[in-house]
Amino acid sequence: MAYRPTEKTEARKKAQHKLLSDTALAIVSNDGFKALTIASLAQEAGVAIGTIYKYFEDKAALCTHVFKIASGKEVEMVRRSAFPEPSSDSEKLNCTERLEQTIQSFAERAIAGHKLAYALIAEPVSPDIEAERLIYRKAYADIFEHLIEQGIDTGEFRRQDTKVAATAIVGALAETLVSPLAHIVEQNINAPDEELFSSIKKFCLNAVCKTD
Amino acid sequence: MAYRPTEKTEARKKAQHKLLSDTALAIVSNDGFKALTIASLAQEAGVAIGTIYKYFEDKAALCTHVFKIASGKEVEMVRRSAFPEPSSDSEKLNCTERLEQTIQSFAERAIAGHKLAYALIAEPVSPDIEAERLIYRKAYADIFEHLIEQGIDTGEFRRQDTKVAATAIVGALAETLVSPLAHIVEQNINAPDEELFSSIKKFCLNAVCKTD
DNA sequence: CAATAAAGTGAACCATGATTCACGACTTTG
DNA sequence: CAAAGTCGTGAATCATGGTTCACTTTATTG
């Protein structure tokens, strides 16, 4: 008698949502949030403008969705460096080594995906997205905070305000790695700057450690 | 036979420019760059919209002018902490003490003028202003870099990449002091958070110093 | 197929805010 | 005062980009 959503249509719906989501992420990864317009997304995804609104409430919902997807992945990668799976090789690293590894991981990902990193961390965005960004930066800080707490317990790190230290590390990483990427035309992605990474690691370790 | 600009008219012109400039700065200091529109400035200054364009090429020129004025003052204040006048009390402080004092100065000004600090350092802005911001942050970093270099020479600080360290300090300060102000409704300005300042100073000093 | 519901469409519309410009007011010089 | 240049005005215009919605197409069921 009437129409009913079925498995097939639901699958298509999900696929369309993913198409739009993926396309939007690609746009942001290449050209930042400023390039993510309803029209450009419709164009890239090969759908009409109105279709976007069948899948996202409005522009803000689209942007925050993309931001969450992208930043969620990034945070997860960094979290794995800080707290490796019990089964992994890195399992037995001490906190100092894991902090180094975590910074290295953040740095490598920031340089390799510098356009996305810039979009997520430093690109001027609307207040809606800025709110998401604070959550995201907090997620990073929480990882560092937890790691620093562990290091204090093991006696590797000095007693300190772990929230401040963790926040400061996030700021130091953002400033040294991401902000300068604001207008780099083409990065020499082939030669990751190990020298730079090393300096940053030394700075941060020195800041939290008992001794050099 | 004809009109010629004279001292009196030039003075008025300069006064009008200053009125607009000051009013614009007040708007930004209270409500950020997002609140600085041509219409709002005209309103506040008590002039017509068209008048703004007699004094500023366009919106971008207005914004960058305001940004330069404001950030120039801030940088100058911080520079004085880092490199006191030879005649001043602080003249004979060592680099460690001056670094502490500089961070303290930055922190106090950021908290006291948190809305302006947020606008200058963290508020989402158009790319034009973002470009100015990079110059401004670099100016801060240059101050810290110079101070760190001095400290290395005096043996107070360890040998290190001074550019990275200086940039990291700027990032750490911005993240710990300014970014959280994003959505603070009303700060308890009366009770500057000496605890927080102390933690930040310890973090930064530890990062650059030879020993704790 | 008929009925129903959801997906897809895109030109029209709307909101925001910068920019223009024709005109009158003001200032200076001879 | 006449001539001429500059200032001040603000409604009209433009630019950008999000949002709507009447309509068409597609899918499902009996």
Side-chain angles (χ1 to χ4, degrees), chain B residues 9-59:
Chain B
T9 58
E10 287 300 306
R12 168 164 173 75
K13 199 167 166 180
K14 198 180 288 181
Q16 277 290 72
H17 190 278
K18 179 159 164 38
L19 168 67
L20 296 182
S21 178
D22 289 353
T23 306
L25 179 56
I27 291 172
V28 172
S29 297
N30 286 326
D31 302 310
F33 279 98
K34 74 173 184 317
L36 179 59
T37 64
I38 301 292
S40 73
L41 175 54
Q43 170 93 44
E44 287 296 305
V47 302
I49 284 174
T51 302
I52 311 291
Y53 288 90
K54 301 285 185 187
Y55 293 90
F56 296 94
E57 182 63 25
D58 54 17
K59 174 80 185 290

Side-chain angles (χ1 to χ4, degrees), chain B residues 145-186:
Chain B
E145 186 181 357
H146 191 178
L147 188 49
I148 293 169
E149 281 167 356
Q150 274 195 6
I152 292 172
D153 289 346
T154 66
E156 287 168 78
F157 303 155
R158 68 187 166 85
R159 292 212 166 276
Q160 61 198 284
D161 184 324
T162 55
K163 267 194 205 316
V164 168
T167 306
I169 288 175
V170 171
L173 291 176
E175 190 79 12
T176 53
L177 290 167
V178 180
S179 300
L181 303 180
H183 36 215
I184 279 176
V185 179
E186 223 15 87

